[in-house]
Amino acid sequence: MTPNRSARRTNESPATRLRDALLARVRDSDSEGGAALLSAIIFMIIMAGLSVVLLSTVLSQTVPSVAAQRNTKTVYAAQAGMQASLAMLRSAAAAPDATGAVYGSLSQLKCSVTGQVDAQANGLGYTATIQYFASNPSAVPAPVAIPCSALGVSSQPKYALITSKGTAPAGAGSGTAVTGDRTISAVYAFKVSNINIPGGRIFDDNNALCLE
């Protein structure tokens, strides 16, 4: 005869009943619970790794991005300096003569031109240096520049070499000061004619008046 199950339980020790209760709870629990927890942990590890890679990529591109932005600004500032220099060269004229004709004035030719691109551009500006030559400065060997001062140039130039530099305050990229001023240059050819200008004194080779 098979003993009654309830009767068997009454004869079991407390430790045995506790073991049976724990085993029953384990058998009744979801068998996929451990796999889901493991999947969640693996997913968190993968996302943390991807976040670290993405962060390092963003930080490594900060300095090049700031430098590229600065280069773009300063190259346009240098072009503004180039245009300002050309405007100065083309407008360097003396007062009209007795016939009303207007000719260029050597005293109006400047050695440099500086300025700001915009009053709200946070220090974005340009500095252009101008050298004057009697022959093409692109030739080899390069010719000697005509002396230039605040009073203009000492003799008639035929070419001008303009070197314009765009400047801007250093930007910050990842805590690093980023510079990147741009410089452009160009050769300007003057339109020089040999026409006679009415009026003025005539000198001989000894720098003495030959006509009154």
Side-chain angles (χ1 to χ4, degrees):
M1 181 177 177
T2 303
N4 190 359
R5 189 168 184 176
S6 60
R8 271 204 326 268
R9 287 186 175 275
T10 57
N11 295 330
E12 292 177 349
S13 63
T16 303
R17 288 197 298 271
L18 179 60
R19 182 197 63 187
D20 294 340
L22 292 175
L23 291 175
R25 292 193 62 179
V26 171
R27 285 194 300 267
D28 295 338
S29 63
D30 188 6
S31 60
E32 296 182 356
L37 179 61
L38 182 61
S39 299
I41 294 175
I42 294 175
F43 178 76
M44 292 174 62
I45 294 174
I46 293 175
M47 291 304 298
L50 292 177
S51 300
V52 171
V53 173
L54 181 61
L55 178 62
S56 62
T57 302
V58 172
L59 293 178
S60 64
Q61 292 300 316
T62 301
V63 174
S65 299
V66 174
Q69 184 180 17
R70 179 185 171 85
N71 287 341
T72 301
K73 290 181 179 180
T74 53
V75 72
Y76 284 114
Q79 290 179 355
M82 181 68 66
Q83 295 301 320
S85 301
L86 293 175
M88 182 274 298
L89 294 176
R90 291 166 180 166
S91 62
D97 61 5
T99 63
V102 178
Y103 301 95
S105 174
L106 299 181
S107 62
Q108 299 296 321
L109 297 178
K110 299 180 180 180
C111 307
S112 63
V113 176
T114 60
Q116 296 291 322
V117 175
D118 189 352
Q120 305 297 328
N122 297 324
L124 185 63
Y126 56 83
T127 301
T129 302
I130 307 172
Q131 294 177 291
Y132 301 93
F133 297 87
S135 58
N136 195 333
S138 301
V140 179
V144 179
I146 298 175
C148 180
S149 65
L151 301 177
V153 293
S154 57
S155 61
Q156 173 64 53
K158 292 185 179 180
Y159 296 91
L161 175 61
I162 306 172
T163 304
S164 178
K165 179 180 180 180
T167 58
S174 299
T176 304
V178 180
T179 59
D181 295 338
R182 300 292 295 274
T183 301
I184 59 176
S185 60
V187 176
Y188 176 80
F190 290 93
K191 294 182 179 179
V192 180
S193 62
N194 293 324
I195 61 174
N196 294 325
I197 300 176
R201 298 178 178 180
I202 301 176
F203 294 87
D204 60 8
D205 294 339
N206 296 324
N207 201 24
L209 295 177
C210 62
L211 291 178
E212 294 183 357

PDB file of all heavy atoms in Angstrom, residues 139-177:
ATOM      1  N   ALA A 139      59.394  87.703 -62.484  1.00  0.00           N
ATOM      2  CA  ALA A 139      60.571  87.301 -63.249  1.00  0.00           C
ATOM      3  C   ALA A 139      61.638  86.727 -62.324  1.00  0.00           C
ATOM      4  O   ALA A 139      61.626  86.937 -61.111  1.00  0.00           O
ATOM      5  CB  ALA A 139      61.141  88.496 -64.009  1.00  0.00           C
ATOM      6  N   VAL A 140      62.531  85.935 -62.919  1.00  0.00           N
ATOM      7  CA  VAL A 140      63.647  85.330 -62.182  1.00  0.00           C
ATOM      8  C   VAL A 140      64.946  85.816 -62.812  1.00  0.00           C
ATOM      9  O   VAL A 140      65.157  85.652 -64.026  1.00  0.00           O
ATOM     10  CB  VAL A 140      63.557  83.796 -62.233  1.00  0.00           C
ATOM     11  CG1 VAL A 140      64.741  83.168 -61.490  1.00  0.00           C
ATOM     12  CG2 VAL A 140      62.247  83.325 -61.630  1.00  0.00           C
ATOM     13  N   PRO A 141      65.830  86.426 -62.019  1.00  0.00           N
ATOM     14  CA  PRO A 141      65.682  86.760 -60.587  1.00  0.00           C
ATOM     15  C   PRO A 141      64.709  87.904 -60.381  1.00  0.00           C
ATOM     16  O   PRO A 141      64.472  88.706 -61.282  1.00  0.00           O
ATOM     17  CB  PRO A 141      67.103  87.146 -60.182  1.00  0.00           C
ATOM     18  CG  PRO A 141      67.704  87.694 -61.434  1.00  0.00           C
ATOM     19  CD  PRO A 141      67.135  86.880 -62.561  1.00  0.00           C
ATOM     20  N   ALA A 142      64.152  87.983 -59.176  1.00  0.00           N
ATOM     21  CA  ALA A 142      63.161  89.001 -58.876  1.00  0.00           C
ATOM     22  C   ALA A 142      63.804  90.378 -58.876  1.00  0.00           C
ATOM     23  O   ALA A 142      64.921  90.558 -58.376  1.00  0.00           O
ATOM     24  CB  ALA A 142      62.526  88.720 -57.514  1.00  0.00           C
ATOM     25  N   PRO A 143      63.154  91.365 -59.453  1.00  0.00           N
ATOM     26  CA  PRO A 143      63.720  92.719 -59.480  1.00  0.00           C
ATOM     27  C   PRO A 143      63.659  93.372 -58.098  1.00  0.00           C
ATOM     28  O   PRO A 143      62.970  92.907 -57.185  1.00  0.00           O
ATOM     29  CB  PRO A 143      62.817  93.447 -60.478  1.00  0.00           C
ATOM     30  CG  PRO A 143      61.512  92.719 -60.391  1.00  0.00           C
ATOM     31  CD  PRO A 143      61.859  91.283 -60.137  1.00  0.00           C
ATOM     32  N   VAL A 144      64.384  94.460 -57.965  1.00  0.00           N
ATOM     33  CA  VAL A 144      64.409  95.206 -56.706  1.00  0.00           C
ATOM     34  C   VAL A 144      63.190  96.116 -56.644  1.00  0.00           C
ATOM     35  O   VAL A 144      62.836  96.786 -57.630  1.00  0.00           O
ATOM     36  CB  VAL A 144      65.711  96.026 -56.585  1.00  0.00           C
ATOM     37  CG1 VAL A 144      65.719  96.831 -55.287  1.00  0.00           C
ATOM     38  CG2 VAL A 144      66.920  95.102 -56.651  1.00  0.00           C
ATOM     39  N   ALA A 145      62.540  96.144 -55.486  1.00  0.00           N
ATOM     40  CA  ALA A 145      61.346  96.961 -55.329  1.00  0.00           C
ATOM     41  C   ALA A 145      61.705  98.438 -55.266  1.00  0.00           C
ATOM     42  O   ALA A 145      62.778  98.820 -54.792  1.00  0.00           O
ATOM     43  CB  ALA A 145      60.593  96.554 -54.067  1.00  0.00           C
ATOM     44  N   ILE A 146      60.792  99.254 -55.746  1.00  0.00           N
ATOM     45  CA  ILE A 146      60.970 100.703 -55.665  1.00  0.00           C
ATOM     46  C   ILE A 146      60.694 101.144 -54.228  1.00  0.00           C
ATOM     47  O   ILE A 146      59.717 100.690 -53.613  1.00  0.00           O
ATOM     48  CB  ILE A 146      59.998 101.407 -56.630  1.00  0.00           C
ATOM     49  CG1 ILE A 146      60.299 100.982 -58.075  1.00  0.00           C
ATOM     50  CG2 ILE A 146      60.077 102.919 -56.487  1.00  0.00           C
ATOM     51  CD1 ILE A 146      59.307 101.527 -59.086  1.00  0.00           C
ATOM     52  N   PRO A 147      61.539 101.986 -53.648  1.00  0.00           N
ATOM     53  CA  PRO A 147      61.305 102.429 -52.264  1.00  0.00           C
ATOM     54  C   PRO A 147      59.938 103.065 -52.098  1.00  0.00           C
ATOM     55  O   PRO A 147      59.487 103.845 -52.942  1.00  0.00           O
ATOM     56  CB  PRO A 147      62.437 103.428 -52.016  1.00  0.00           C
ATOM     57  CG  PRO A 147      63.508 103.044 -52.983  1.00  0.00           C
ATOM     58  CD  PRO A 147      62.793 102.541 -54.202  1.00  0.00           C
ATOM     59  N   CYS A 148      59.300 102.717 -50.981  1.00  0.00           N
ATOM     60  CA  CYS A 148      57.964 103.232 -50.691  1.00  0.00           C
ATOM     61  C   CYS A 148      57.962 103.794 -49.274  1.00  0.00           C
ATOM     62  O   CYS A 148      58.564 103.225 -48.357  1.00  0.00           O
ATOM     63  CB  CYS A 148      56.928 102.128 -50.828  1.00  0.00           C
ATOM     64  SG  CYS A 148      55.230 102.655 -50.478  1.00  0.00           S
ATOM     65  N   SER A 149      57.274 104.933 -49.102  1.00  0.00           N
ATOM     66  CA  SER A 149      57.190 105.568 -47.793  1.00  0.00           C
ATOM     67  C   SER A 149      55.798 106.163 -47.633  1.00  0.00           C
ATOM     68  O   SER A 149      54.906 105.977 -48.478  1.00  0.00           O
ATOM     69  CB  SER A 149      58.265 106.646 -47.649  1.00  0.00           C
ATOM     70  OG  SER A 149      58.026 107.703 -48.573  1.00  0.00           O
ATOM     71  N   ALA A 150      55.616 106.911 -46.544  1.00  0.00           N
ATOM     72  CA  ALA A 150      54.327 107.564 -46.315  1.00  0.00           C
ATOM     73  C   ALA A 150      54.040 108.625 -47.370  1.00  0.00           C
ATOM     74  O   ALA A 150      52.880 109.028 -47.559  1.00  0.00           O
ATOM     75  CB  ALA A 150      54.305 108.181 -44.918  1.00  0.00           C
ATOM     76  N   LEU A 151      55.082 109.086 -48.080  1.00  0.00           N
ATOM     77  CA  LEU A 151      54.914 110.086 -49.142  1.00  0.00           C
ATOM     78  C   LEU A 151      54.671 109.455 -50.501  1.00  0.00           C
ATOM     79  O   LEU A 151      54.622 110.164 -51.515  1.00  0.00           O
ATOM     80  CB  LEU A 151      56.147 110.990 -49.206  1.00  0.00           C
ATOM     81  CG  LEU A 151      56.470 111.765 -47.917  1.00  0.00           C
ATOM     82  CD1 LEU A 151      57.741 112.567 -48.092  1.00  0.00           C
ATOM     83  CD2 LEU A 151      55.310 112.653 -47.521  1.00  0.00           C
ATOM     84  N   GLY A 152      54.567 108.133 -50.552  1.00  0.00           N
ATOM     85  CA  GLY A 152      54.352 107.440 -51.815  1.00  0.00           C
ATOM     86  C   GLY A 152      55.626 106.783 -52.307  1.00  0.00           C
ATOM     87  O   GLY A 152      56.516 106.447 -51.520  1.00  0.00           O
ATOM     88  N   VAL A 153      55.740 106.584 -53.604  1.00  0.00           N
ATOM     89  CA  VAL A 153      56.920 105.968 -54.201  1.00  0.00           C
ATOM     90  C   VAL A 153      57.750 107.043 -54.896  1.00  0.00           C
ATOM     91  O   VAL A 153      57.261 108.120 -55.260  1.00  0.00           O
ATOM     92  CB  VAL A 153      56.526 104.868 -55.203  1.00  0.00           C
ATOM     93  CG1 VAL A 153      55.872 103.700 -54.487  1.00  0.00           C
ATOM     94  CG2 VAL A 153      55.586 105.415 -56.268  1.00  0.00           C
ATOM     95  N   SER A 154      59.048 106.727 -55.070  1.00  0.00           N
ATOM     96  CA  SER A 154      59.977 107.726 -55.611  1.00  0.00           C
ATOM     97  C   SER A 154      59.966 107.795 -57.127  1.00  0.00           C
ATOM     98  O   SER A 154      60.400 108.804 -57.703  1.00  0.00           O
ATOM     99  CB  SER A 154      61.398 107.417 -55.119  1.00  0.00           C
ATOM    100  OG  SER A 154      61.780 106.096 -55.503  1.00  0.00           O
ATOM    101  N   SER A 155      59.536 106.761 -57.823  1.00  0.00           N
ATOM    102  CA  SER A 155      59.518 106.769 -59.288  1.00  0.00           C
ATOM    103  C   SER A 155      58.294 105.995 -59.772  1.00  0.00           C
ATOM    104  O   SER A 155      57.630 105.286 -59.007  1.00  0.00           O
ATOM    105  CB  SER A 155      60.804 106.142 -59.841  1.00  0.00           C
ATOM    106  OG  SER A 155      60.934 104.796 -59.415  1.00  0.00           O
ATOM    107  N   GLN A 156      58.035 106.152 -61.062  1.00  0.00           N
ATOM    108  CA  GLN A 156      56.843 105.542 -61.633  1.00  0.00           C
ATOM    109  C   GLN A 156      56.952 104.017 -61.677  1.00  0.00           C
ATOM    110  O   GLN A 156      57.840 103.464 -62.332  1.00  0.00           O
ATOM    111  CB  GLN A 156      56.622 106.065 -63.062  1.00  0.00           C
ATOM    112  CG  GLN A 156      55.509 105.368 -63.828  1.00  0.00           C
ATOM    113  CD  GLN A 156      54.153 105.585 -63.194  1.00  0.00           C
ATOM    114  OE1 GLN A 156      53.752 106.704 -62.955  1.00  0.00           O
ATOM    115  NE2 GLN A 156      53.432 104.502 -62.923  1.00  0.00           N
ATOM    116  N   PRO A 157      56.067 103.293 -60.978  1.00  0.00           N
ATOM    117  CA  PRO A 157      56.095 101.831 -61.056  1.00  0.00           C
ATOM    118  C   PRO A 157      55.260 101.339 -62.231  1.00  0.00           C
ATOM    119  O   PRO A 157      54.348 102.028 -62.699  1.00  0.00           O
ATOM    120  CB  PRO A 157      55.466 101.410 -59.719  1.00  0.00           C
ATOM    121  CG  PRO A 157      54.510 102.511 -59.408  1.00  0.00           C
ATOM    122  CD  PRO A 157      55.114 103.777 -59.960  1.00  0.00           C
ATOM    123  N   LYS A 158      55.599 100.158 -62.675  1.00  0.00           N
ATOM    124  CA  LYS A 158      54.803  99.505 -63.709  1.00  0.00           C
ATOM    125  C   LYS A 158      54.022  98.306 -63.169  1.00  0.00           C
ATOM    126  O   LYS A 158      53.047  97.884 -63.779  1.00  0.00           O
ATOM    127  CB  LYS A 158      55.712  99.051 -64.850  1.00  0.00           C
ATOM    128  CG  LYS A 158      56.324 100.197 -65.633  1.00  0.00           C
ATOM    129  CD  LYS A 158      57.113  99.692 -66.833  1.00  0.00           C
ATOM    130  CE  LYS A 158      57.695 100.856 -67.629  1.00  0.00           C
ATOM    131  NZ  LYS A 158      58.477 100.374 -68.809  1.00  0.00           N
ATOM    132  N   TYR A 159      54.483  97.786 -62.048  1.00  0.00           N
ATOM    133  CA  TYR A 159      53.804  96.627 -61.441  1.00  0.00           C
ATOM    134  C   TYR A 159      53.727  96.835 -59.929  1.00  0.00           C
ATOM    135  O   TYR A 159      54.565  97.527 -59.334  1.00  0.00           O
ATOM    136  CB  TYR A 159      54.552  95.320 -61.736  1.00  0.00           C
ATOM    137  CG  TYR A 159      54.598  94.958 -63.196  1.00  0.00           C
ATOM    138  CD1 TYR A 159      55.656  95.387 -64.011  1.00  0.00           C
ATOM    139  CD2 TYR A 159      53.608  94.177 -63.769  1.00  0.00           C
ATOM    140  CE1 TYR A 159      55.708  95.059 -65.344  1.00  0.00           C
ATOM    141  CE2 TYR A 159      53.650  93.837 -65.112  1.00  0.00           C
ATOM    142  CZ  TYR A 159      54.692  94.281 -65.890  1.00  0.00           C
ATOM    143  OH  TYR A 159      54.745  93.951 -67.215  1.00  0.00           O
ATOM    144  N   ALA A 160      52.732  96.218 -59.338  1.00  0.00           N
ATOM    145  CA  ALA A 160      52.581  96.212 -57.883  1.00  0.00           C
ATOM    146  C   ALA A 160      52.309  94.782 -57.438  1.00  0.00           C
ATOM    147  O   ALA A 160      51.458  94.093 -58.013  1.00  0.00           O
ATOM    148  CB  ALA A 160      51.448  97.134 -57.441  1.00  0.00           C
ATOM    149  N   LEU A 161      53.059  94.342 -56.437  1.00  0.00           N
ATOM    150  CA  LEU A 161      52.861  93.015 -55.859  1.00  0.00           C
ATOM    151  C   LEU A 161      52.081  93.181 -54.558  1.00  0.00           C
ATOM    152  O   LEU A 161      52.571  93.773 -53.597  1.00  0.00           O
ATOM    153  CB  LEU A 161      54.199  92.326 -55.596  1.00  0.00           C
ATOM    154  CG  LEU A 161      54.133  90.968 -54.873  1.00  0.00           C
ATOM    155  CD1 LEU A 161      53.334  89.954 -55.684  1.00  0.00           C
ATOM    156  CD2 LEU A 161      55.529  90.443 -54.582  1.00  0.00           C
ATOM    157  N   ILE A 162      50.863  92.661 -54.528  1.00  0.00           N
ATOM    158  CA  ILE A 162      49.979  92.792 -53.365  1.00  0.00           C
ATOM    159  C   ILE A 162      49.971  91.466 -52.612  1.00  0.00           C
ATOM    160  O   ILE A 162      49.680  90.413 -53.188  1.00  0.00           O
ATOM    161  CB  ILE A 162      48.544  93.156 -53.785  1.00  0.00           C
ATOM    162  CG1 ILE A 162      48.554  94.403 -54.676  1.00  0.00           C
ATOM    163  CG2 ILE A 162      47.664  93.379 -52.568  1.00  0.00           C
ATOM    164  CD1 ILE A 162      47.206  94.710 -55.293  1.00  0.00           C
ATOM    165  N   THR A 163      50.291  91.512 -51.331  1.00  0.00           N
ATOM    166  CA  THR A 163      50.246  90.341 -50.464  1.00  0.00           C
ATOM    167  C   THR A 163      49.266  90.638 -49.336  1.00  0.00           C
ATOM    168  O   THR A 163      49.542  91.471 -48.473  1.00  0.00           O
ATOM    169  CB  THR A 163      51.628  90.009 -49.883  1.00  0.00           C
ATOM    170  OG1 THR A 163      52.565  89.829 -50.948  1.00  0.00           O
ATOM    171  CG2 THR A 163      51.573  88.739 -49.044  1.00  0.00           C
ATOM    172  N   SER A 164      48.107  89.988 -49.376  1.00  0.00           N
ATOM    173  CA  SER A 164      47.037  90.269 -48.426  1.00  0.00           C
ATOM    174  C   SER A 164      46.881  89.089 -47.467  1.00  0.00           C
ATOM    175  O   SER A 164      46.799  87.933 -47.895  1.00  0.00           O
ATOM    176  CB  SER A 164      45.719  90.525 -49.157  1.00  0.00           C
ATOM    177  OG  SER A 164      44.666  90.757 -48.240  1.00  0.00           O
ATOM    178  N   LYS A 165      46.831  89.399 -46.179  1.00  0.00           N
ATOM    179  CA  LYS A 165      46.704  88.375 -45.139  1.00  0.00           C
ATOM    180  C   LYS A 165      45.424  88.604 -44.351  1.00  0.00           C
ATOM    181  O   LYS A 165      45.194  89.686 -43.820  1.00  0.00           O
ATOM    182  CB  LYS A 165      47.913  88.427 -44.194  1.00  0.00           C
ATOM    183  CG  LYS A 165      47.861  87.406 -43.068  1.00  0.00           C
ATOM    184  CD  LYS A 165      49.095  87.518 -42.178  1.00  0.00           C
ATOM    185  CE  LYS A 165      49.054  86.497 -41.046  1.00  0.00           C
ATOM    186  NZ  LYS A 165      50.259  86.595 -40.179  1.00  0.00           N
ATOM    187  N   GLY A 166      44.576  87.584 -44.310  1.00  0.00           N
ATOM    188  CA  GLY A 166      43.370  87.644 -43.498  1.00  0.00           C
ATOM    189  C   GLY A 166      43.669  87.195 -42.085  1.00  0.00           C
ATOM    190  O   GLY A 166      44.342  86.183 -41.869  1.00  0.00           O
ATOM    191  N   THR A 167      43.195  87.941 -41.106  1.00  0.00           N
ATOM    192  CA  THR A 167      43.482  87.651 -39.706  1.00  0.00           C
ATOM    193  C   THR A 167      42.191  87.505 -38.924  1.00  0.00           C
ATOM    194  O   THR A 167      41.176  88.131 -39.243  1.00  0.00           O
ATOM    195  CB  THR A 167      44.336  88.767 -39.078  1.00  0.00           C
ATOM    196  OG1 THR A 167      43.640  90.011 -39.194  1.00  0.00           O
ATOM    197  CG2 THR A 167      45.677  88.874 -39.767  1.00  0.00           C
ATOM    198  N   ALA A 168      42.251  86.664 -37.893  1.00  0.00           N
ATOM    199  CA  ALA A 168      41.107  86.440 -37.008  1.00  0.00           C
ATOM    200  C   ALA A 168      41.636  85.947 -35.673  1.00  0.00           C
ATOM    201  O   ALA A 168      42.707  85.330 -35.611  1.00  0.00           O
ATOM    202  CB  ALA A 168      40.136  85.428 -37.608  1.00  0.00           C
ATOM    203  N   PRO A 169      40.915  86.213 -34.583  1.00  0.00           N
ATOM    204  CA  PRO A 169      41.351  85.705 -33.274  1.00  0.00           C
ATOM    205  C   PRO A 169      41.409  84.183 -33.282  1.00  0.00           C
ATOM    206  O   PRO A 169      40.632  83.520 -33.975  1.00  0.00           O
ATOM    207  CB  PRO A 169      40.276  86.223 -32.308  1.00  0.00           C
ATOM    208  CG  PRO A 169      39.642  87.370 -33.018  1.00  0.00           C
ATOM    209  CD  PRO A 169      39.705  87.042 -34.478  1.00  0.00           C
ATOM    210  N   ALA A 170      42.347  83.636 -32.527  1.00  0.00           N
ATOM    211  CA  ALA A 170      42.493  82.181 -32.456  1.00  0.00           C
ATOM    212  C   ALA A 170      41.250  81.566 -31.841  1.00  0.00           C
ATOM    213  O   ALA A 170      40.758  82.024 -30.812  1.00  0.00           O
ATOM    214  CB  ALA A 170      43.727  81.815 -31.631  1.00  0.00           C
ATOM    215  N   GLY A 171      40.716  80.519 -32.496  1.00  0.00           N
ATOM    216  CA  GLY A 171      39.563  79.817 -31.964  1.00  0.00           C
ATOM    217  C   GLY A 171      39.994  78.686 -31.054  1.00  0.00           C
ATOM    218  O   GLY A 171      41.141  78.241 -31.074  1.00  0.00           O
ATOM    219  N   ALA A 172      39.062  78.230 -30.215  1.00  0.00           N
ATOM    220  CA  ALA A 172      39.348  77.160 -29.258  1.00  0.00           C
ATOM    221  C   ALA A 172      38.738  75.862 -29.756  1.00  0.00           C
ATOM    222  O   ALA A 172      37.567  75.801 -30.100  1.00  0.00           O
ATOM    223  CB  ALA A 172      38.788  77.501 -27.877  1.00  0.00           C
ATOM    224  N   GLY A 173      39.559  74.816 -29.818  1.00  0.00           N
ATOM    225  CA  GLY A 173      39.103  73.488 -30.188  1.00  0.00           C
ATOM    226  C   GLY A 173      39.634  72.463 -29.225  1.00  0.00           C
ATOM    227  O   GLY A 173      40.840  72.216 -29.169  1.00  0.00           O
ATOM    228  N   SER A 174      38.770  71.880 -28.406  1.00  0.00           N
ATOM    229  CA  SER A 174      39.174  70.905 -27.389  1.00  0.00           C
ATOM    230  C   SER A 174      40.206  71.499 -26.432  1.00  0.00           C
ATOM    231  O   SER A 174      41.150  70.842 -26.020  1.00  0.00           O
ATOM    232  CB  SER A 174      39.740  69.638 -28.046  1.00  0.00           C
ATOM    233  OG  SER A 174      38.769  69.028 -28.858  1.00  0.00           O
ATOM    234  N   GLY A 175      40.024  72.798 -26.117  1.00  0.00           N
ATOM    235  CA  GLY A 175      40.947  73.445 -25.201  1.00  0.00           C
ATOM    236  C   GLY A 175      42.251  73.873 -25.837  1.00  0.00           C
ATOM    237  O   GLY A 175      43.153  74.337 -25.149  1.00  0.00           O
ATOM    238  N   THR A 176      42.384  73.745 -27.160  1.00  0.00           N
ATOM    239  CA  THR A 176      43.615  74.098 -27.871  1.00  0.00           C
ATOM    240  C   THR A 176      43.370  75.326 -28.735  1.00  0.00           C
ATOM    241  O   THR A 176      42.357  75.401 -29.430  1.00  0.00           O
ATOM    242  CB  THR A 176      44.085  72.935 -28.757  1.00  0.00           C
ATOM    243  OG1 THR A 176      44.241  71.769 -27.953  1.00  0.00           O
ATOM    244  CG2 THR A 176      45.410  73.263 -29.422  1.00  0.00           C
ATOM    245  N   ALA A 177      44.277  76.300 -28.673  1.00  0.00           N
ATOM    246  CA  ALA A 177      44.169  77.491 -29.506  1.00  0.00           C
ATOM    247  C   ALA A 177      44.459  77.113 -30.958  1.00  0.00           C
ATOM    248  O   ALA A 177      45.506  76.551 -31.267  1.00  0.00           O
ATOM    249  CB  ALA A 177      45.135  78.571 -29.034  1.00  0.00           C
TER     250      ALA A 177
END
